[in-house]
Amino acid sequence: WIALGVASTTPDAGPYIHHDGVGDGVTHSQRHAELELLVSCYGPQAVGYANLLRDGFGIPQNMEALKRAGLGFVDTGAVRRAPELVNQQWYNRADFTLRFRVATVQRWAVLSVLEATLQLNKD
């Protein structure tokens, strides 16, 4: 069996912000982030399945579903054997990381200041 989870999310330096002052006054912010997933494969063939899964990310056909979901594949880490003791029994385990890039877009209702009445006083 295989277990996986998001180990870390690292955002870029700052979001791109675009304000549409015409119409409804929506501000869009877009930020890129890098997701690191930890993948653990268990069983007698754990290392073999980890290598098979890792190598599968090099096949373009397998990437199509990720691209439709807005994920870009970056790379994989080394496969490491890490036997695990569970209930006084050792289980064969192999761990590796997967890294992806993702862009998230947010919409904010920010109204534009179209005109303002003000008076300047010089002192």
Side-chain angles (χ1 to χ4, degrees), residues 8-54:
S8 66
T9 304
T10 307
D12 60 0
Y16 163 76
I17 298 174
H18 171 73
H19 179 70
D20 181 10
V22 180
D24 57 359
V26 174
T27 296
H28 299 272
S29 69
Q30 180 178 10
R31 178 183 288 273
H32 292 88
E34 190 168 282
L35 304 175
E36 184 175 88
L37 278 69
L38 176 63
V39 180
S40 298
C41 299
Y42 293 87
Q45 301 297 324
V47 173
Y49 285 127
N51 284 323
L52 184 65
L53 179 61
R54 185 185 65 183

Short mmCIF file of all heavy atoms in Angstrom, two decimals, residues 8-54:
data_model
loop_
_atom_site.label_atom_id
_atom_site.label_comp_id
_atom_site.label_asym_id
_atom_site.label_seq_id
_atom_site.Cartn_x
_atom_site.Cartn_y
_atom_site.Cartn_z
N SER A 8 4.96 19.93 3.00
CA SER A 8 5.17 21.37 3.15
C SER A 8 4.62 22.10 1.93
O SER A 8 4.52 21.55 0.85
CB SER A 8 6.66 21.70 3.33
OG SER A 8 7.38 21.39 2.15
N THR A 9 4.29 23.37 2.16
CA THR A 9 3.85 24.28 1.10
C THR A 9 4.69 25.54 1.22
O THR A 9 4.67 26.20 2.26
CB THR A 9 2.36 24.64 1.26
OG1 THR A 9 1.60 23.44 1.27
CG2 THR A 9 1.88 25.51 0.12
N THR A 10 5.43 25.86 0.17
CA THR A 10 6.31 27.02 0.19
C THR A 10 5.84 28.03 -0.84
O THR A 10 5.93 27.77 -2.05
CB THR A 10 7.77 26.60 -0.12
OG1 THR A 10 8.14 25.55 0.76
CG2 THR A 10 8.71 27.78 0.04
N PRO A 11 5.30 29.17 -0.40
CA PRO A 11 4.84 30.18 -1.37
C PRO A 11 6.02 30.97 -1.93
O PRO A 11 7.10 31.02 -1.33
CB PRO A 11 3.93 31.08 -0.53
CG PRO A 11 4.49 30.98 0.85
CD PRO A 11 5.03 29.58 0.98
N ASP A 12 5.79 31.61 -3.09
CA ASP A 12 6.81 32.49 -3.63
C ASP A 12 6.85 33.79 -2.84
O ASP A 12 6.13 33.95 -1.85
CB ASP A 12 6.59 32.73 -5.13
CG ASP A 12 5.25 33.37 -5.42
OD1 ASP A 12 4.49 33.64 -4.47
OD2 ASP A 12 4.94 33.59 -6.60
N ALA A 13 7.66 34.72 -3.29
CA ALA A 13 7.89 35.95 -2.51
C ALA A 13 6.64 36.79 -2.29
O ALA A 13 6.48 37.37 -1.23
CB ALA A 13 8.97 36.79 -3.18
N GLY A 14 5.78 36.87 -3.24
CA GLY A 14 4.59 37.69 -3.08
C GLY A 14 3.64 37.48 -4.23
O GLY A 14 4.03 37.04 -5.30
N PRO A 15 2.37 37.83 -4.04
CA PRO A 15 1.39 37.61 -5.11
C PRO A 15 1.45 38.70 -6.18
O PRO A 15 1.85 39.83 -5.92
CB PRO A 15 0.06 37.65 -4.37
CG PRO A 15 0.31 38.55 -3.23
CD PRO A 15 1.74 38.32 -2.83
N TYR A 16 1.02 38.35 -7.37
CA TYR A 16 0.79 39.32 -8.43
C TYR A 16 -0.61 39.84 -8.19
O TYR A 16 -1.56 39.07 -8.02
CB TYR A 16 0.90 38.65 -9.80
CG TYR A 16 0.28 39.46 -10.90
CD1 TYR A 16 0.92 40.58 -11.41
CD2 TYR A 16 -0.95 39.10 -11.43
CE1 TYR A 16 0.35 41.33 -12.41
CE2 TYR A 16 -1.53 39.86 -12.45
CZ TYR A 16 -0.88 40.97 -12.93
OH TYR A 16 -1.45 41.72 -13.92
N ILE A 17 -0.78 41.16 -8.18
CA ILE A 17 -2.08 41.77 -7.91
C ILE A 17 -2.47 42.65 -9.09
O ILE A 17 -1.68 43.47 -9.55
CB ILE A 17 -2.06 42.58 -6.61
CG1 ILE A 17 -1.75 41.65 -5.44
CG2 ILE A 17 -3.37 43.31 -6.40
CD1 ILE A 17 -1.55 42.34 -4.13
N HIS A 18 -3.70 42.44 -9.57
CA HIS A 18 -4.22 43.23 -10.68
C HIS A 18 -5.60 43.75 -10.28
O HIS A 18 -6.48 42.96 -9.93
CB HIS A 18 -4.33 42.39 -11.95
CG HIS A 18 -5.05 43.10 -13.05
ND1 HIS A 18 -4.48 44.13 -13.76
CD2 HIS A 18 -6.30 42.94 -13.56
CE1 HIS A 18 -5.35 44.57 -14.66
NE2 HIS A 18 -6.46 43.86 -14.55
N HIS A 19 -5.77 45.05 -10.31
CA HIS A 19 -7.06 45.65 -9.98
C HIS A 19 -7.75 46.11 -11.25
O HIS A 19 -7.17 46.84 -12.06
CB HIS A 19 -6.89 46.84 -9.03
CG HIS A 19 -8.19 47.50 -8.67
ND1 HIS A 19 -9.12 46.89 -7.87
CD2 HIS A 19 -8.70 48.69 -9.03
CE1 HIS A 19 -10.17 47.69 -7.75
NE2 HIS A 19 -9.93 48.79 -8.44
N ASP A 20 -8.98 45.66 -11.44
CA ASP A 20 -9.79 46.07 -12.57
C ASP A 20 -10.69 47.21 -12.09
O ASP A 20 -11.71 46.97 -11.45
CB ASP A 20 -10.63 44.89 -13.08
CG ASP A 20 -11.47 45.26 -14.29
OD1 ASP A 20 -11.26 46.35 -14.85
OD2 ASP A 20 -12.32 44.45 -14.67
N GLY A 21 -10.29 48.44 -12.37
CA GLY A 21 -11.05 49.59 -11.90
C GLY A 21 -12.32 49.85 -12.66
O GLY A 21 -13.16 50.64 -12.26
N VAL A 22 -12.51 49.17 -13.77
CA VAL A 22 -13.71 49.33 -14.58
C VAL A 22 -14.69 48.23 -14.20
O VAL A 22 -14.32 47.11 -13.92
CB VAL A 22 -13.36 49.23 -16.08
CG1 VAL A 22 -14.60 49.40 -16.94
CG2 VAL A 22 -12.30 50.24 -16.45
N GLY A 23 -15.96 48.58 -14.18
CA GLY A 23 -16.98 47.56 -13.92
C GLY A 23 -17.17 47.31 -12.43
O GLY A 23 -17.38 48.24 -11.67
N ASP A 24 -17.06 46.06 -12.03
CA ASP A 24 -17.37 45.69 -10.65
C ASP A 24 -16.22 45.92 -9.67
O ASP A 24 -16.36 45.67 -8.49
CB ASP A 24 -17.85 44.24 -10.57
CG ASP A 24 -16.84 43.26 -11.13
OD1 ASP A 24 -15.76 43.70 -11.60
OD2 ASP A 24 -17.12 42.05 -11.11
N GLY A 25 -15.07 46.37 -10.14
CA GLY A 25 -13.97 46.70 -9.24
C GLY A 25 -13.37 45.49 -8.55
O GLY A 25 -13.13 45.52 -7.35
N VAL A 26 -13.12 44.43 -9.28
CA VAL A 26 -12.57 43.22 -8.68
C VAL A 26 -11.05 43.26 -8.75
O VAL A 26 -10.47 43.65 -9.75
CB VAL A 26 -13.10 41.97 -9.42
CG1 VAL A 26 -12.43 40.71 -8.93
CG2 VAL A 26 -14.60 41.86 -9.25
N THR A 27 -10.42 42.85 -7.66
CA THR A 27 -8.97 42.71 -7.62
C THR A 27 -8.65 41.22 -7.63
O THR A 27 -9.22 40.44 -6.88
CB THR A 27 -8.39 43.37 -6.35
OG1 THR A 27 -8.64 44.77 -6.42
CG2 THR A 27 -6.90 43.13 -6.25
N HIS A 28 -7.73 40.85 -8.52
CA HIS A 28 -7.29 39.47 -8.62
C HIS A 28 -5.87 39.37 -8.04
O HIS A 28 -5.03 40.22 -8.33
CB HIS A 28 -7.23 39.00 -10.07
CG HIS A 28 -8.54 39.04 -10.76
ND1 HIS A 28 -9.43 38.00 -10.73
CD2 HIS A 28 -9.14 40.01 -11.50
CE1 HIS A 28 -10.50 38.31 -11.42
NE2 HIS A 28 -10.36 39.54 -11.89
N SER A 29 -5.65 38.36 -7.24
CA SER A 29 -4.28 38.10 -6.77
C SER A 29 -3.94 36.67 -7.16
O SER A 29 -4.75 35.76 -7.05
CB SER A 29 -4.15 38.30 -5.26
OG SER A 29 -4.85 37.31 -4.56
N GLN A 30 -2.72 36.52 -7.67
CA GLN A 30 -2.25 35.21 -8.07
C GLN A 30 -0.92 34.93 -7.38
O GLN A 30 -0.03 35.77 -7.36
CB GLN A 30 -2.06 35.14 -9.59
CG GLN A 30 -1.57 33.80 -10.07
CD GLN A 30 -1.42 33.74 -11.58
OE1 GLN A 30 -1.51 34.75 -12.27
NE2 GLN A 30 -1.17 32.56 -12.10
N ARG A 31 -0.83 33.75 -6.79
CA ARG A 31 0.39 33.38 -6.07
C ARG A 31 0.78 31.97 -6.49
O ARG A 31 -0.06 31.09 -6.65
CB ARG A 31 0.17 33.41 -4.57
CG ARG A 31 1.39 32.98 -3.77
CD ARG A 31 1.10 32.94 -2.28
NE ARG A 31 0.96 34.25 -1.71
CZ ARG A 31 1.97 35.00 -1.25
NH1 ARG A 31 3.19 34.56 -1.33
NH2 ARG A 31 1.74 36.18 -0.72
N HIS A 32 2.08 31.76 -6.67
CA HIS A 32 2.61 30.44 -6.97
C HIS A 32 3.17 29.85 -5.68
O HIS A 32 3.68 30.56 -4.82
CB HIS A 32 3.71 30.51 -8.02
CG HIS A 32 3.20 30.89 -9.37
ND1 HIS A 32 3.07 32.20 -9.77
CD2 HIS A 32 2.76 30.14 -10.39
CE1 HIS A 32 2.58 32.24 -10.99
NE2 HIS A 32 2.38 31.00 -11.39
N ALA A 33 3.06 28.54 -5.57
CA ALA A 33 3.60 27.85 -4.40
C ALA A 33 4.16 26.51 -4.84
O ALA A 33 3.80 25.97 -5.89
CB ALA A 33 2.51 27.64 -3.35
N GLU A 34 5.05 25.99 -4.03
CA GLU A 34 5.62 24.67 -4.28
C GLU A 34 5.10 23.72 -3.20
O GLU A 34 5.19 24.02 -2.01
CB GLU A 34 7.14 24.75 -4.23
CG GLU A 34 7.80 23.49 -4.71
CD GLU A 34 9.28 23.71 -4.92
OE1 GLU A 34 9.67 24.30 -5.95
OE2 GLU A 34 10.05 23.30 -4.02
N LEU A 35 4.53 22.61 -3.65
CA LEU A 35 4.03 21.59 -2.73
C LEU A 35 5.02 20.44 -2.69
O LEU A 35 5.45 19.96 -3.74
CB LEU A 35 2.68 21.05 -3.19
CG LEU A 35 1.55 22.03 -3.40
CD1 LEU A 35 0.34 21.32 -3.97
CD2 LEU A 35 1.20 22.70 -2.10
N GLU A 36 5.36 20.01 -1.49
CA GLU A 36 6.22 18.84 -1.34
C GLU A 36 5.41 17.74 -0.69
O GLU A 36 4.87 17.94 0.40
CB GLU A 36 7.45 19.16 -0.51
CG GLU A 36 8.42 18.00 -0.43
CD GLU A 36 9.69 18.36 0.29
OE1 GLU A 36 9.72 18.22 1.52
OE2 GLU A 36 10.64 18.80 -0.39
N LEU A 37 5.27 16.62 -1.38
CA LEU A 37 4.53 15.48 -0.87
C LEU A 37 5.50 14.40 -0.41
O LEU A 37 6.50 14.15 -1.09
CB LEU A 37 3.61 14.88 -1.94
CG LEU A 37 2.27 15.56 -2.17
CD1 LEU A 37 2.43 16.92 -2.77
CD2 LEU A 37 1.40 14.68 -3.00
N LEU A 38 5.20 13.79 0.72
CA LEU A 38 5.97 12.65 1.18
C LEU A 38 5.19 11.40 0.82
O LEU A 38 4.02 11.27 1.18
CB LEU A 38 6.21 12.71 2.70
CG LEU A 38 6.93 11.51 3.29
CD1 LEU A 38 8.33 11.38 2.71
CD2 LEU A 38 7.00 11.62 4.79
N VAL A 39 5.82 10.50 0.08
CA VAL A 39 5.19 9.26 -0.36
C VAL A 39 5.88 8.11 0.36
O VAL A 39 7.11 8.02 0.36
CB VAL A 39 5.31 9.08 -1.88
CG1 VAL A 39 4.66 7.79 -2.34
CG2 VAL A 39 4.71 10.27 -2.61
N SER A 40 5.10 7.24 0.97
CA SER A 40 5.62 6.05 1.65
C SER A 40 4.98 4.82 1.03
O SER A 40 3.75 4.71 0.98
CB SER A 40 5.31 6.09 3.15
OG SER A 40 5.93 7.19 3.76
N CYS A 41 5.80 3.91 0.53
CA CYS A 41 5.33 2.65 -0.05
C CYS A 41 5.66 1.53 0.94
O CYS A 41 6.76 1.48 1.47
CB CYS A 41 6.02 2.38 -1.38
SG CYS A 41 5.69 3.62 -2.63
N TYR A 42 4.70 0.64 1.17
CA TYR A 42 4.86 -0.45 2.13
C TYR A 42 4.76 -1.79 1.43
O TYR A 42 4.15 -1.90 0.37
CB TYR A 42 3.76 -0.37 3.20
CG TYR A 42 3.86 0.83 4.10
CD1 TYR A 42 3.26 2.03 3.75
CD2 TYR A 42 4.53 0.75 5.32
CE1 TYR A 42 3.34 3.13 4.58
CE2 TYR A 42 4.61 1.85 6.16
CZ TYR A 42 4.01 3.03 5.77
OH TYR A 42 4.09 4.13 6.59
N GLY A 43 5.34 -2.81 2.04
CA GLY A 43 5.22 -4.17 1.54
C GLY A 43 6.55 -4.74 1.09
O GLY A 43 7.57 -4.04 1.08
N PRO A 44 6.55 -6.01 0.72
CA PRO A 44 7.80 -6.67 0.33
C PRO A 44 8.48 -6.02 -0.88
O PRO A 44 9.69 -6.05 -0.99
CB PRO A 44 7.37 -8.10 -0.02
CG PRO A 44 6.00 -8.27 0.50
CD PRO A 44 5.41 -6.91 0.68
N GLN A 45 7.71 -5.43 -1.79
CA GLN A 45 8.27 -4.79 -2.98
C GLN A 45 8.22 -3.27 -2.87
O GLN A 45 8.04 -2.57 -3.88
CB GLN A 45 7.51 -5.26 -4.23
CG GLN A 45 7.56 -6.75 -4.46
CD GLN A 45 8.97 -7.23 -4.71
OE1 GLN A 45 9.77 -6.54 -5.34
NE2 GLN A 45 9.30 -8.41 -4.19
N ALA A 46 8.35 -2.73 -1.68
CA ALA A 46 8.19 -1.29 -1.45
C ALA A 46 9.14 -0.46 -2.30
O ALA A 46 8.72 0.53 -2.91
CB ALA A 46 8.39 -0.97 0.03
N VAL A 47 10.39 -0.84 -2.37
CA VAL A 47 11.36 -0.07 -3.14
C VAL A 47 11.03 -0.14 -4.63
O VAL A 47 11.08 0.87 -5.34
CB VAL A 47 12.80 -0.55 -2.87
CG1 VAL A 47 13.80 0.12 -3.81
CG2 VAL A 47 13.18 -0.28 -1.42
N GLY A 48 10.65 -1.31 -5.11
CA GLY A 48 10.28 -1.45 -6.52
C GLY A 48 9.07 -0.63 -6.89
O GLY A 48 9.05 0.03 -7.94
N TYR A 49 8.06 -0.62 -6.02
CA TYR A 49 6.87 0.18 -6.30
C TYR A 49 7.16 1.68 -6.20
O TYR A 49 6.61 2.48 -6.95
CB TYR A 49 5.72 -0.20 -5.38
CG TYR A 49 5.08 -1.52 -5.76
CD1 TYR A 49 4.93 -2.53 -4.83
CD2 TYR A 49 4.64 -1.73 -7.06
CE1 TYR A 49 4.36 -3.74 -5.19
CE2 TYR A 49 4.06 -2.94 -7.42
CZ TYR A 49 3.92 -3.94 -6.48
OH TYR A 49 3.36 -5.13 -6.85
N ALA A 50 8.03 2.06 -5.28
CA ALA A 50 8.41 3.47 -5.17
C ALA A 50 9.11 3.92 -6.44
O ALA A 50 8.83 5.01 -6.97
CB ALA A 50 9.29 3.68 -3.95
N ASN A 51 10.03 3.10 -6.95
CA ASN A 51 10.72 3.45 -8.20
C ASN A 51 9.76 3.49 -9.37
O ASN A 51 9.85 4.36 -10.24
CB ASN A 51 11.85 2.46 -8.47
CG ASN A 51 13.05 2.71 -7.58
OD1 ASN A 51 13.38 3.85 -7.28
ND2 ASN A 51 13.68 1.64 -7.13
N LEU A 52 8.81 2.56 -9.42
CA LEU A 52 7.83 2.52 -10.50
C LEU A 52 6.95 3.77 -10.47
O LEU A 52 6.72 4.41 -11.51
CB LEU A 52 6.97 1.27 -10.37
CG LEU A 52 5.95 1.01 -11.46
CD1 LEU A 52 6.64 0.75 -12.79
CD2 LEU A 52 5.08 -0.18 -11.08
N LEU A 53 6.48 4.15 -9.29
CA LEU A 53 5.65 5.34 -9.16
C LEU A 53 6.45 6.59 -9.52
O LEU A 53 5.98 7.45 -10.26
CB LEU A 53 5.11 5.45 -7.74
CG LEU A 53 4.24 6.66 -7.42
CD1 LEU A 53 2.99 6.66 -8.30
CD2 LEU A 53 3.85 6.66 -5.96
N ARG A 54 7.66 6.68 -9.02
CA ARG A 54 8.52 7.84 -9.30
C ARG A 54 8.79 7.96 -10.79
O ARG A 54 8.69 9.04 -11.37
CB ARG A 54 9.83 7.70 -8.53
CG ARG A 54 10.73 8.90 -8.67
CD ARG A 54 12.04 8.66 -8.01
NE ARG A 54 12.71 7.58 -8.75
CZ ARG A 54 13.86 7.06 -8.41
NH1 ARG A 54 14.48 7.48 -7.34
NH2 ARG A 54 14.41 6.12 -9.11
#
